Amino acid sequence: NDSRADCFSDDNLRRITGCSDLLDTPGLRPDERAMAYAMRALAFSLNSRFAEAIRDYDSAIALNPDFSIALNNRAWALFKSGRARDGMPDVERALSLSPGSPHALDTRAHINQEMGDAHAALKDYELAMRFGGERMIKLYQCGLQAQGLYSGDINGLYTPSLRRGLETCVSTRGCDPLPADEECRKVTS
């Protein structure tokens, strides 16, 4: 039905409406309900509505405690809402369920960086690139280039120049090697 399609839309407002409609559907299986909460939470998060996102991730995880994507995304929403330390147990659990997740490794890197552990942050960013490959490297290249910390090509290759940019970034609270959401869409797609 249309609410299911809208719930999985790339348009965040359609996603919120579609998932809300889907969640009102009687007889929705628990796994479908967990996914609808997680998708709506993602839309809230992408619109910086972190309190609503966290509430929906709580619901998704209550229905499916081993939902690694929802665990990681709740950790990210906690991080983005200024509660980095609160997100660490979620991202650790997500990584125990999906050890090679570049997204969870990136989330843990951000949390470590925010908590002042530059060494652990750099290690996690490097693991995120190892598991995420060329796309993840290009994201960091683009994000660091936008901050003036990397001047090389956006080519998906991990170079000494990129490492120096990351080292500078991780030692600076508030520096984010990820680009603004729309900034690098072309080079990473």
Side-chain angles (χ1 to χ4, degrees):
N1 71 28
D2 286 347
S3 54
R4 188 175 304 278
D6 287 347
C7 185
F8 291 91
S9 166
D10 285 337
D11 179 298
N12 287 319
L13 295 178
R14 273 183 60 201
R15 187 182 295 166
I16 290 168
T17 304
C19 292
S20 296
D21 290 346
L22 197 56
L23 287 164
D24 288 339
T25 305
L28 196 62
R29 291 191 331 253
D31 60 317
E32 294 172 319
R33 188 169 297 285
M35 183 58 78
Y37 275 121
M39 293 303 292
R40 187 171 71 177
L42 178 62
F44 284 142
S45 193
L46 291 170
N47 281 303
S48 300
R49 294 166 63 181
F50 300 113
E52 291 160 291
I54 292 164
R55 220 175 8 259
D56 272 1
Y57 285 129
D58 289 347
S59 296
I61 293 162
L63 289 163
N64 179 359
D66 292 336
F67 196 165
S68 65
I69 293 169
L71 285 159
N72 175 60
N73 288 354
R74 182 170 67 180
W76 184 256
L78 288 162
F79 162 75
K80 293 296 277 184
S81 62
R83 297 168 52 200
R85 189 173 304 280
D86 293 343
M88 189 60 92
D90 279 348
V91 76
E92 291 290 359
R93 174 102 173 102
L95 283 165
S96 76
L97 294 164
S98 299
S101 167
H103 302 292
L105 289 161
D106 174 77
T107 298
R108 189 171 68 184
H110 278 82
I111 291 172
N112 278 323
Q113 182 177 343
E114 180 63 27
M115 293 185 345
D117 190 343
H119 176 76
L122 181 62
K123 184 177 162 203
D124 279 340
Y125 285 129
E126 288 179 322
L127 285 170
M129 287 186 287
R130 181 178 314 147
F131 288 104
E134 187 178 303
R135 182 181 179 281
M136 203 75 192
I137 295 170
K138 285 181 177 180
L139 278 173
Y140 292 149
Q141 287 172 327
C142 187
L144 290 168
Q145 192 175 70
Q147 296 194 47
L149 297 176
Y150 173 75
S151 59
D153 293 331
I154 297 177
N155 57 11
L157 299 175
Y158 187 43
T159 61
S161 168
L162 178 57
R163 182 180 168 95
R164 283 192 298 279
L166 269 175
E167 286 172 339
T168 301
C169 187
V170 297
S171 64
T172 310
R173 254 207 176 103
C175 178
D176 189 348
L178 288 176
D181 283 337
E182 295 301 316
E183 207 167 288
C184 297
R185 193 161 292 243
K186 276 196 177 82
V187 298
T188 60
S189 56

